[in-house]
């Protein structure tokens, strides 16, 4: 076992990326069977995963990948066609690799609790041999009794029977660059790969450049080179594929040896073993010598076209978070310096220098933010597999269309997107898309359903939409369920949006029966909770019989927010801009007490709970009369409230700072920040305030 934690950590990171990419590519291959570029990409990914696993010592995973790679090679060479059954088994193979990777992360053996390896190999081999998977049987455990030489030879012959093309011989020179270990590649793995498909002879290791142990300064420099003769039943292309990822950057020569060359070589080897006097008696005929000279070595195989890969460095996100905090401190300090220089009568040159420094520090802040930003594509593409699995389970045919995959969002938010999107897709697949093709055709729609996921930047936010072309929401059924749950009044008048919003309430489901997919009244409330946790909002648009669209609006990052600063007594607070609907001046007569539980304020024929923020935070203020202050209408979780404050000051971006544990649980406070003048400002938790108001915990002193 490879015992370097650093290399295993790198392997795990790369392996998870490869598996995610393979999963998506295999699903795409099912609908694009003739896409050679996609097939080659899948093969290269499987080969990389196999080689990397073998390099760090995970032999079982490497062996399992080798079996899958053999199947993909047959597809790539045109010997097998892509079938749904093949894709299903290969996806099962990836699920098994995921379990093995998770075992490694948990510090367990790679095979602990993974019981399907032998049966999975049997299935993959059955497909590769053109046999029925249902009849594939895992091999029985082999006897521990020693085998005869004849038995071992027979096994070797049988193991290589899959390869075709006759008995091929090659001479291979392997010259590796000194820094090859930096790429996580061990040259010995190429020898192991060669032994897996053939026989190595005349192996020579050149280590003249190897320094003495006392002069060995860097153990990660490759000093050794190899040359060998290789005999195999495999085709030359299969031999070249072993070196697919190093042939461009290293000195790899694969020289095909014809049968007569091999015979001459055997003769030379035998001649070398004869007594000297016998050798003297044998002479080489001129025509034979000429023939040997004209048997030119095969040209070096044409290397794959080089692709300029981006130069990247893997960085722990915790380091980025720490850097972001330091940049925030720098921007705050710089703002303070700017204010001081503006208030002092100092040299213009100094003012220009400070102004230049201010621009630079803010550019640094933007660059660090950009480093944290990642495209939504990796999250989107993982749902190809999810939709395929649901198709099989629901006996439907639904295609997933992706748009705007390059739209970027903060990495921390990206990781939280997967769960709500999964619930929305599940809802669209089960409730949205019609149950039968006939039903869709009768409505004039294509026989297959379509779910479209898109992302775009709009007004400083990321807007993600998930739409389907199915039934649309049944407004009447949702309304009846909402009335039954006490969410709406039977005699009330509600807009379509207000009725649709109730599906995000816990326990509300319109499913006719409970299934493994939906019907238990859970899922959509989780979507709302997760979106609100990311300081976002979700809306629904629907047309019955045509389809529905779920619209998620999120900030670009959770590290910086756009906010409105406002005064409350002598204190400054910040309210997130995304939660604000409007700011208005109101009159005393618009305020009414509500059953001794607080106050309501009438704004445009709508009564909203009124929160006098100075009462909640117990702050002394001279602005106690509604006429003298300003009311901010906010929304959280589709509930509106009116917040009364002294005055609004400015709109600005602020870096969010987490509060000490003594303050972090204070109701109505989400965090804090430091303003340009050095003062601390608390950030209002709109959701917390709205919840307190709805629970009757805010009465504004009304008795």
């Amino acid at each position: 076992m490879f015992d370097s934690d650093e290399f295993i950590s790198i392997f795990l990171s790369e392996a998870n990326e490869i598996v995610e990419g393979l999963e998506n590519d295999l699903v795409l291959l099912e609908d694009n069977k003739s896409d050679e570029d996609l097939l080659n990409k899948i093969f290269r990914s499987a080969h990389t995963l196999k080689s990397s696993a073998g390099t760090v010592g995970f032999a079982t995973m490497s062996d399992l990948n080798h079996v899958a790679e053999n199947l993909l090679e047959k597809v790539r060479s045109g010997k097998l066609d892509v079938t749904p059954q093949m894709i299903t088994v290969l996806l099962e193979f990836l699920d098994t690799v995921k379990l093995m990777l998770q075992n490694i992360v948990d510090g367990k053996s790679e095979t602990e609790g993974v019981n399907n390896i032998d049966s999975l190999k049997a299935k993959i081999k059955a497909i590769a041999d053109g046999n029925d998977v249902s009849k594939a049987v895992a091999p029985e455990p082999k006897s521990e009794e020693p085998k005869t030489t004849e038995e071992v030879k027979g096994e070797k012959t049988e193991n290589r029977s899959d390869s075709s093309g006759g008995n091929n011989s090659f001479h291979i020179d392997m010259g590796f660059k000194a820094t090859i270990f930096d790429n996580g590649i061990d040259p010995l793995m190429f020898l192991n790969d060669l032994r897996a498909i053939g026989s190595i002879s005349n192996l020579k290791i050149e280590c003249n450049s190897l320094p003495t142990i006392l002069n060995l300064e860097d153990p990660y420099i490759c000093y050794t080179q190899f040359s060998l003769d290789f005999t195999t039943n495999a085709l030359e292309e299969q031999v070249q594929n072993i070196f697919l990822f190093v042939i461009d950057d290293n000195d790899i020569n694969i020289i095909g040896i014809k049968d007569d060359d091999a015979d001459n070589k055997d003769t030379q080897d035998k001649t070398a073993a004869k007594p000297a006097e016998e050798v003297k008696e044998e002479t080489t005929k001129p025509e034979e010598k000429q023939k040997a000279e004209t048997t030119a070595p095969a040209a070096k195989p044409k290397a794959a076209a080089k692709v300029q890969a981006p130069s990247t460095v893997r960085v722990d996100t915790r380091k980025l978070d720490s850097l972001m905090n330091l940049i925030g401190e720098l921007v705050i300090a710089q703002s303070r310096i700017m204010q001081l220089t503006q208030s002092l009568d100092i040299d213009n040159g100094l003012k220009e220098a400070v102004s230049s420094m201010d621009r630079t520090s803010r550019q640094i802040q933007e660059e660090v933010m950009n480093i944290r930003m990642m495209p939504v594509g990796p999250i989107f593409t993982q749902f190809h597999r999810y939709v395929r699995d649901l198709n099989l389970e629901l006996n439907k045919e639904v295609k997933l269309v992706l748009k705007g995959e390059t739209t970027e969002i903060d990495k921390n938010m990206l990781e939280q997107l997967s769960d709500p999107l999964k619930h929305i897709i599940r809802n669209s697949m089960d409730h949205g898309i019609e149950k039968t093709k006939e039903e869709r055709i009768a409505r004039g729609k294509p026989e297959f359903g379509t779910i479209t996921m898109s992302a775009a930047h709009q007004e400083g936010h990321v807007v993600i939409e998930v739409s389907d072309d199915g039934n649309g929401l049944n407004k009447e059924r949702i309304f009846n369920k909402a009335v039954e749950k006490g969410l709406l009044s039977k005699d009330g008048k509600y807009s379509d949006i207000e009725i649709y919003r109730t599906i995000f309430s816990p326990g509300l489901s319109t499913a006719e029966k409970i299934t493994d997919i939906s019907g238990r009244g859970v899922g959509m409330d989780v979507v709302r909770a997760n979106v609100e946790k990311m300081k976002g909002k979700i809306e629904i648009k629907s047309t019955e019989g045509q389809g529905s669209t779920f619209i998620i609006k999120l900030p670009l990052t959770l590290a910086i927010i756009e906010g409105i600063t406002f005064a409350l007594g002598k204190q400054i607070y910040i309210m997130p801009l995304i939660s604000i609907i409007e700011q208005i001046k109101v009159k005393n007569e618009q305020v009414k007490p509500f059953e001794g539980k607080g106050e309501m304020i009438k704004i445009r024929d709508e009564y909203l709970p009124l929160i006098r923020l100075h009462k909640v935070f117990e702050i002394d203020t001279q602005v106690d009369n509604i006429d003298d202050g300003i009311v901010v209408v906010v929304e959280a979780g589709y509930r509106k409230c009116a917040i009364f404050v002294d005055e609004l000051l400015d709109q600005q971006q602020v870096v969010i700072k987490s509060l000490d544990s003594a303050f972090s649980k204070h109701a109505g406070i989400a965090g804090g920040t430091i303003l340009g003048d050095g003062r601390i400002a608390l950030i209002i938790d709109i959701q917390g305030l709205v919840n307190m108001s709805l629970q009757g915990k805010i009465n504004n002193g009304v008795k």
Side-chain angles (χ1 to χ4, degrees), residues 613-627:
L613 208 55
H614 67 279
K615 296 279 188 181
V616 177
F617 294 158
E618 299 178 355
I619 294 176
D620 293 330
T621 176
Q622 301 299 318
V623 185
D624 195 38
N625 195 313
I626 288 288
D627 289 341

Side-chain angles (χ1 to χ4, degrees), residues 396-425:
K396 292 184 177 182
E397 187 176 349
V398 180
K399 294 185 178 180
L400 178 64
V401 177
L402 305 181
K403 297 179 180 179
E405 301 99 302
T406 57
T407 303
E408 293 186 334
I409 193 171
D410 191 293
K411 183 181 186 300
N412 292 338
M413 297 178 66
L414 192 65
E415 294 168 350
Q416 300 178 50
L417 263 178
S418 179
D419 198 44
L421 290 177
K422 180 177 290 187
H423 283 298
I424 292 174
I425 289 177

Side-chain angles (χ1 to χ4, degrees), residues 199-213:
S199 176
I200 293 175
S201 61
N202 298 324
L203 173 62
K204 296 179 181 178
I205 304 175
E206 174 60 55
C207 21
N208 291 336
S209 59
L210 183 66
T212 63
I213 192 66

Side-chain angles (χ1 to χ4, degrees), residues 420 423-424 504 523-532 538 552:
H423 283 298
I424 292 174
F504 294 109
M524 300 311 292
D525 60 315
V526 174
V527 171
R528 188 192 68 182
N530 286 346
V531 170
E532 290 176 355
I538 183 167
I552 299 174

Side-chain angles (χ1 to χ4, degrees), residues 433-497:
I433 303 298
E434 292 85 351
K435 295 187 181 299
T436 64
K437 295 179 180 179
E438 291 73 20
E439 187 179 351
R440 290 184 59 83
I441 293 172
R443 289 180 171 179
K445 299 179 180 180
E447 63 180 27
F448 59 86
T450 301
I451 293 177
T452 303
M453 295 179 66
S454 65
H457 286 143
Q458 294 181 12
E459 300 176 351
H461 295 84
V462 175
V463 177
I464 296 173
E465 295 187 1
V466 182
S467 60
D468 66 71
D469 63 347
N471 292 304
L473 296 180
N474 189 321
K475 185 172 64 174
E476 183 178 353
R477 181 181 296 176
I478 294 172
F479 177 76
N480 292 334
K481 284 286 184 180
V483 171
E484 181 183 322
K485 293 285 184 180
L487 300 171
L488 298 177
S489 170
K490 187 175 182 179
D491 300 324
K493 294 182 179 181
Y494 303 97
S495 66
D496 290 354
I497 292 178

